[in-house]
């Protein structure tokens, strides 16, 4: 088994169609893990190794993250290839939650695109060190300098290029390593032969300037290097490597490299950089909450001999049992041993441990701190912590965004009902952003998710994997209701029905939350002096939360609320948790109507890439959809149009954009924020919901 310092756990993330899966395929090939490279859009029907689902191969996109491992330079690299499409963003979230480092892939022409911003936000959320890899250097219009500027200006990253390109587009032949000052070209039938030579004369001056800039940027993090540069002395390669590594691990810099995965150029140096610059499990400290010590944050040690602590970050339901992808943070997990699930507090026996390679697996007897493996047949949920009985730790779970779109699904016959139920239960268990509910008035089954593609994929999987025939209703937008002004409440719940009664009295305020606050609800307990006994206060909070599920305007969920509980009173005999919960629910409903509530709608960040000749019609169409144009940018003969558009007006946009641009424009769309619905449209939505409710009542 490798030493812990020789393990690298990395993810490959990027905007859709930046070449992540193609890059992973090359890494597997050069590391000897596969013996033939497949393409994402392969004509032989094979498809890329990591895109093992039939739907992924048909559509040419990554839908689910896949794990594998390779050996390179005496290091063991665990790799997770993640989807680029924002509809499957939870796959990126849970991968980054457990990884030590990442490769952020960028298109040399597109630069920082809309989903690059999402990936950046996710990497920052989990404090993941990264290397930026500028891919597709063989494309016409490739401009790595502009990509570096994009990374600095749009993402605020301290990018340090450690390579210089030799040519772009069809003239791209290789890279110059600014640390060793050697030129690298990639020969052989599949770029497997790395030729290292002196820098060609035409690039000598540019390379010398680029190296100076690199050393100047690095010297900010190494005083000794700064002194050497000031004195005009040479800086040793070893010092440069160490400085890049230290500054990358502390996230003070992002080294930038480049290549063309499709043309088999620049991949081996990237593998070297993963081993040299990205952290091992020993270089990063993870923290757990110690529930035997009032939930205090406790650092975990990457030591195989410590008490075992691991986290399940992804689950897949299969015919032979659940497959639970797991990161071991400390200790050793052993086949046949039992461990405690921190969420359920139940003991669970580990039957099988497997090492994953895409959809293939190999049995192993144990896994140690720093390893990423899968457990077979263990009943648990995504985000669960398992630990040794000697400790009572839990790890911070994964951030899960709320769905923005829903559809009604109906089985064709009674046989399909059972199949659909099994499929929905599985999908909901595997994907926390996929929600299933039932309309209480019509009994219709509603599925909710992150976008049209997200739900479309699950409907298709229902038909293929479960042979369930279902009909799908029109998509519905997940509107929200929110308060606009502060209002006070003073609610007394009193009920006498023979014997002991019910009494609860609560006083406080409802306040609208700021738009930039991540949370949608906040409860503030200002009770002092025992005005309300401590054991009743959580019940008040539960009452508030229960009332938020359905607002009075149109029956949508309420968000953006801060509830301040300031005062109240109780009765020695008649007060109970149930009474205070009932009071909380009724007080919330009463006070919410005084806050001038409004409807909120999801606004989508839409990015359209179109030939210049169609820019006018594209912008005009986005404006007609109540879109706000955030900016346009011309690149070569294409325009990039960015806009915020209400989701309600974006259904079927893929067909419209094809028609407007003769099939030449592409677009991406992701959730940006919730914003107030204009008054006239709000009234129409409320009236429509009222009529629907009346019709359902008549039925």
């Amino acid at each position: 088994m490798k030493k812990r310092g020789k393990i690298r756990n990395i993810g490959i993330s990027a905007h859709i169609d930046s070449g992540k899966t193609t890059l992973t395929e090359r890494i597997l090939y050069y590391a000897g893990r596969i013996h033939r490279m497949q393409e994402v859009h392969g004509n032989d029907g094979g498809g890329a190794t990591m895109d093992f689902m039939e739907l992924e191969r048909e559509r040419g996109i990554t839908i689910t993250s896949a794990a594998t491992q390779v050996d390179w330079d005496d290091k063991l690299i665990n790799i997770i290839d993640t989807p680029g499409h924002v509809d499957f963003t939870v796959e990126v979230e849970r991968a980054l939650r457990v990884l030590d480092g990442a490769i952020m892939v960028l298109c040399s022409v597109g630069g920082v695109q809309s989903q690059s911003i999402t990936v950046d936000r996710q990497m920052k959320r989990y404090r993941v060190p990264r290397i930026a890899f500028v891919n597709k250097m063989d494309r016409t219009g490739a401009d790595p300098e502009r990509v570096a500027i994009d990374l600095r200006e749009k993402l605020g990253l301290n990018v340090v290029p450690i390579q210089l390109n030799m040519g772009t587009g069809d003239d791209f032949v290789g890279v110059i390593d600014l640390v060793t000052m050697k030129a690298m070209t990639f020969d052989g039938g599949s770029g497997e032969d790395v030729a290292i030579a002196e820098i060609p004369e035409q690039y000598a001056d540019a390379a010398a300037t680029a190296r100076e800039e690199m050393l100047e940027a690095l010297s900010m993090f190494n005083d000794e290097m700064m002194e050497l540069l000031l004195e005009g002395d040479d800086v040793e390669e070893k010092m440069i490597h160490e400085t890049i590594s230290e500054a990358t691990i502390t996230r003070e810099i992002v080294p930038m490299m480049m290549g063309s995965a499709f043309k088999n150029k620049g991949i081996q140096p990237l593998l070297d950089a993963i081993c040299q610059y990205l952290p091992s499990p020993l270089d990063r400290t993870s923290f757990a909450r110690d529930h035997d010590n009032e939930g205090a944050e406790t650092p975990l040690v990457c030591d195989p001999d410590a008490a075992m602590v691991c986290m399940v970050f992804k689950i897949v339901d299969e015919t032979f049992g659940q497959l639970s992808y797991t990161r071991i943070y400390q200790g050793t997990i052993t086949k046949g041993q039992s461990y405690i699930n921190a969420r359920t507090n139940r003991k669970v026996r580990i039957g099988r441990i497997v090492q994953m390679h895409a959809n293939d697996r190999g049995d192993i007897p144990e896994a140690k701190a720093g390893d990423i493996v899968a457990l077979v047949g263990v009943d648990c949920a995504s985000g669960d912590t398992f630990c040794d009985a000697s400790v009572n730790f839990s790890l911070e779970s994964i951030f899960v965004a709320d769905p923005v779109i829903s559809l009604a699904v109906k089985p064709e016959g009674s046989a399909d009902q059972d199949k659909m139920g099994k499929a929905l239960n599985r999908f909901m268990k595997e994907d926390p952003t996929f929600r299933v509910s039932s309309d209480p008035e019509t009994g219709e089954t509603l599925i909710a998710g992150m976008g049209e593609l997200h739900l479309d994929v699950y409907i298709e999987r229902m038909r293929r994997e479960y042979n369930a025939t279902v009909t799908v209703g029109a998509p519905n937008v997940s509107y929200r209701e929110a308060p606009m002004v502060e209002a006070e409440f003073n609610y007394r719940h009193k009920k006498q029905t023979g014997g002991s009664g019910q009494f609860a009295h609560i006083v406080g305020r409802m306040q609208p939350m700021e738009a930039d606050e991540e949370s949608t609800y906040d409860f503030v307990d200002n009770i002092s002096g025992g005005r309300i006994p401590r054991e009743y206060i959580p019940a008040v909070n539960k009452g508030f939360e229960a009332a938020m599920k359905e607002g009075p305007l149109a029956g949508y969920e309420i968000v953006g609320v801060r509830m301040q509980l300031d005062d109240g009173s109780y009765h020695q005999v008649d007060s109970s948790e149930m009474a205070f919960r009932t009071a909380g629910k009724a007080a919330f409903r009463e006070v919410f109507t005084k806050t001038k509530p409004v409807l909120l709608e999801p606004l989508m960040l839409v990015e359209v890439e179109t030939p210049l000749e169609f820019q006018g019609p594209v912008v005009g169409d986005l404006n007609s959809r109540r879109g706000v144009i955030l900016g346009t940018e011309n690149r070569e003969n294409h325009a990039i149009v960015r806009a915020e558009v209400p989701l309600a007006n974006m259904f079927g946009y893929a067909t419209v954009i094809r028609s407007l641009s003769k099939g030449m424009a592409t677009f991406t769309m992701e959730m940006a924020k919730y914003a107030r619905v204009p008054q006239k449209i709000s009234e129409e939505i409320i009236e429509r919901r009222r009529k629907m409710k009346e019709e359902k009542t008549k039925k």
Side-chain angles (χ1 to χ4, degrees):
M1 176 60 84
K2 298 271 182 186
K3 290 180 180 177
R4 304 301 97 191
K6 292 196 171 185
I7 294 174
R8 300 291 181 272
N9 293 317
I10 67 154
I12 300 180
S13 304
H15 181 89
I16 192 168
D17 206 27
S18 295
K20 299 175 302 301
T21 304
T22 304
L23 173 62
T24 310
E25 194 77 1
R26 270 51 181 178
I27 287 173
L28 294 175
Y29 178 76
Y30 295 130
R33 197 72 174 79
I34 58 174
H35 303 293
R36 177 170 170 251
M37 288 186 284
Q38 305 273 20
E39 303 304 338
V40 173
H41 301 279
N43 294 323
D44 57 3
T49 304
M50 302 299 272
D51 285 349
F52 55 83
M53 280 175 64
E54 187 184 347
L55 264 176
E56 291 180 311
R57 294 183 171 184
E58 279 181 19
R59 293 175 182 241
I61 61 170
T62 302
I63 291 170
T64 180
S65 55
T68 188
Q69 64 173 208
V70 299
D71 280 294
W72 186 265
D73 189 27
D74 196 33
K75 306 284 193 308
L76 182 73
I77 306 174
N78 289 309
I79 301 169
I80 298 182
D81 174 33
T82 62
H85 201 289
V86 74
D87 282 17
F88 308 104
T89 189
V90 74
E91 294 284 345
V92 186
E93 286 280 353
R94 50 190 174 191
L96 291 175
R97 169 64 184 84
V98 299
L99 293 171
D100 300 316
I103 305 299
M104 185 177 189
V105 185
L106 300 124
C107 173
S108 64
V109 179
V112 171
Q113 297 164 280
S114 62
Q115 282 152 235
S116 312
I117 297 168
T118 303
V119 167
D120 171 68
R121 190 166 60 243
Q122 291 168 324
M123 288 182 179
K124 286 172 179 170
R125 177 180 291 131
Y126 299 113
R127 301 179 291 281
V128 179
R130 72 186 96 168
I131 292 171
F133 182 73
V134 181
N135 194 24
K136 301 191 176 185
M137 286 295 298
D138 58 299
R139 273 189 66 184
T140 303
D143 188 348
E145 284 183 38
R146 188 177 49 73
V147 177
I149 292 167
D150 265 9
L151 286 165
R152 292 184 188 114
E153 293 181 353
K154 293 181 180 178
L155 304 183
L157 300 175
N158 185 13
V159 175
V160 178
I162 59 173
Q163 291 179 338
L164 180 70
N165 56 299
M166 293 191 288
T168 59
D170 291 338
D171 299 326
F172 177 63
V173 292
V175 296
I176 294 166
D177 185 329
L178 298 176
V179 179
T180 62
M181 288 302 276
K182 296 289 183 183
M184 306 174 84
T185 53
F186 306 89
D187 306 322
S190 302
E192 65 271 20
D193 299 328
V194 182
I196 299 173
E198 295 303 315
I199 297 170
E201 194 176 330
Q202 68 264 39
Y203 297 111
D205 290 344
T209 303
R211 180 183 166 87
E212 276 179 37
E213 290 173 357
M214 177 191 75
L215 292 175
E216 189 178 325
L218 293 175
S219 69
M220 302 302 291
F221 310 100
N222 187 321
D223 293 340
E224 189 181 345
M225 185 185 289
M226 186 172 281
E227 283 179 28
L228 290 170
L229 291 175
L230 290 172
E231 290 168 10
D233 294 334
D234 289 337
V235 180
E236 289 184 3
E237 279 182 29
K238 185 183 177 188
M239 181 184 287
I240 299 172
H241 286 308
E242 287 174 352
T243 306
I244 294 172
S245 176
E246 288 166 10
T248 302
I249 290 169
T250 55
R251 297 182 299 116
E252 291 171 301
I253 68 164
V254 175
M256 189 179 102
M257 305 179 74
M258 55 200 73
S260 167
F262 186 64
K263 292 294 177 72
N264 310 317
K265 291 179 168 66
I267 312 305
Q268 295 93 326
L270 178 62
L271 276 163
D272 291 336
I274 289 168
C275 296
Q276 284 178 310
Y277 306 140
L278 288 180
S280 76
L282 295 174
D283 296 319
R284 296 191 76 212
T285 303
S286 297
F287 292 87
R289 295 208 173 278
D290 183 356
H291 297 289
D292 288 339
N293 189 19
E294 298 181 345
E297 274 204 342
T298 306
L300 300 176
V301 289
C302 186
D303 178 359
D305 297 323
M308 201 286 296
V309 180
C310 70
M311 180 182 189
V312 174
F313 64 93
K314 171 185 165 75
I315 60 174
V316 180
D317 223 0
E318 299 188 325
T319 49
F320 52 80
Q322 182 173 297
L323 196 65
S324 307
Y325 287 76
T326 307
R327 161 75 190 259
I328 320 299
Y329 282 93
Q330 73 173 30
T332 301
I333 190 166
T334 308
K335 177 182 172 181
Q337 294 294 315
S338 294
Y339 302 94
I340 305 295
N341 183 328
R343 178 178 59 86
T344 63
N345 211 26
R346 289 180 182 167
K347 191 176 276 193
V348 177
R349 185 178 176 276
I350 306 301
R352 280 179 69 198
I353 306 171
V354 294
Q355 190 68 63
M356 298 300 297
H357 171 53
N359 203 31
D360 298 328
R361 63 209 68 184
D363 282 87
I364 54 175
E366 62 181 19
K368 299 187 177 184
D371 289 340
I372 291 177
V373 294
L375 311 177
V376 180
V378 174
D379 185 23
C380 61
S382 183
D384 279 0
T385 301
F386 286 101
C387 54
D388 194 88
S390 62
V391 294
N392 188 9
F393 290 170
S394 69
L395 291 148
E396 178 196 355
S397 198
I398 299 150
F399 174 81
V400 178
D402 286 328
V404 295
I405 179 176
S406 64
L407 294 171
V409 288
K410 186 179 178 182
E412 288 278 315
S414 56
D416 296 306
Q417 175 79 50
D418 189 43
K419 294 174 187 173
M420 186 181 89
K422 285 179 181 174
L424 294 179
N425 283 334
R426 174 189 169 185
F427 300 153
M428 197 166 37
K429 195 174 181 184
E430 290 181 358
D431 182 353
T433 61
F434 178 77
R435 313 276 172 85
V436 180
S437 61
S438 177
D439 187 313
E441 289 158 1
T442 63
E444 282 183 324
T445 300
L446 303 174
I447 59 172
M450 302 306 296
E452 282 185 283
L453 178 64
H454 190 205
L455 297 184
D456 184 39
V457 163
Y458 278 120
I459 289 161
E460 189 61 28
R461 286 184 64 187
M462 240 188 287
R463 289 171 178 151
R464 291 187 186 204
E465 296 173 28
Y466 288 86
N467 201 25
T469 307
V470 296
T471 53
V472 182
N476 292 306
V477 176
S478 293
Y479 292 99
R480 298 284 188 265
E481 299 181 23
M484 290 299 289
V485 299
E486 182 176 325
E488 295 180 349
F489 61 87
N490 185 338
Y491 189 85
R492 191 181 301 268
H493 172 64
K494 193 173 182 181
K495 194 173 181 183
Q496 197 70 42
T497 54
S500 61
Q502 291 184 30
F503 180 86
H505 175 215
I506 54 174
V507 180
R509 294 160 287 156
M510 177 184 283
Q511 298 170 319
M513 295 177 75
E514 297 296 326
D516 58 355
E517 293 186 61
E518 266 208 2
S519 173
T520 58
Y521 171 68
D522 186 26
F523 174 68
V524 182
D525 172 16
N526 296 324
I527 298 295
S528 60
R531 299 286 294 167
I532 299 174
R534 303 310 305 169
E535 64 265 27
Y536 296 152
I537 290 171
V540 178
N541 185 29
K542 284 180 182 173
F544 291 158
E545 289 178 325
M548 290 177 67
K549 290 177 181 172
E550 191 175 312
L553 291 182
Y556 292 108
E557 185 184 338
I558 296 170
V559 296
V561 177
R562 177 171 287 110
M563 296 301 289
Q564 302 258 8
L565 183 61
D566 299 328
D567 199 0
S569 60
Y570 71 105
H571 189 277
Q572 288 281 7
V573 177
D574 292 347
S575 287
S576 63
E577 283 189 29
M578 189 176 81
F580 274 95
R581 179 177 171 139
T582 304
K585 192 171 181 179
F588 189 101
R589 286 177 171 168
E590 185 180 275
V591 72
F592 186 70
T593 57
K594 302 174 187 174
T595 62
K596 299 182 180 176
V598 295
L599 276 187
L600 304 180
E601 63 182 345
L603 291 188
M604 309 305 284
L605 178 62
V606 180
E607 187 175 282
V608 183
E609 185 173 340
T610 176
L612 283 171
E613 61 192 284
F614 304 117
Q615 182 178 348
V618 166
V619 170
D621 179 70
L622 289 172
N623 282 327
S624 73
R625 296 170 184 269
R626 291 198 289 126
V628 175
I629 306 299
L630 303 177
T632 58
E633 186 181 338
N634 291 352
R635 296 178 184 171
E636 298 288 319
N637 58 344
H638 275 69
I640 309 293
V641 181
R642 293 184 182 88
E644 279 183 354
V645 191
L647 173 63
N649 296 340
M650 287 301 292
F651 296 127
Y653 185 65
T655 306
V656 174
I657 195 70
R658 277 197 296 269
S659 171
L660 283 174
S661 64
K662 296 181 181 175
M664 288 188 272
T666 59
F667 81 99
T668 58
M669 181 170 74
E670 66 175 304
M671 174 68 180
K673 62 185 179 185
Y674 271 92
R676 186 173 174 177
V677 179
Q679 183 66 30
K680 187 172 182 298
I681 294 168
S682 177
E683 288 169 2
E684 290 171 2
I685 294 167
I686 292 167
E687 179 61 18
R688 188 164 65 243
R689 292 279 286 188
R690 186 187 64 77
K691 284 182 178 176
M692 282 171 59
K693 199 166 186 177
E694 283 178 0
E695 286 172 13
K696 288 171 184 175
T697 306
K698 287 174 186 175
K699 288 178 184 177

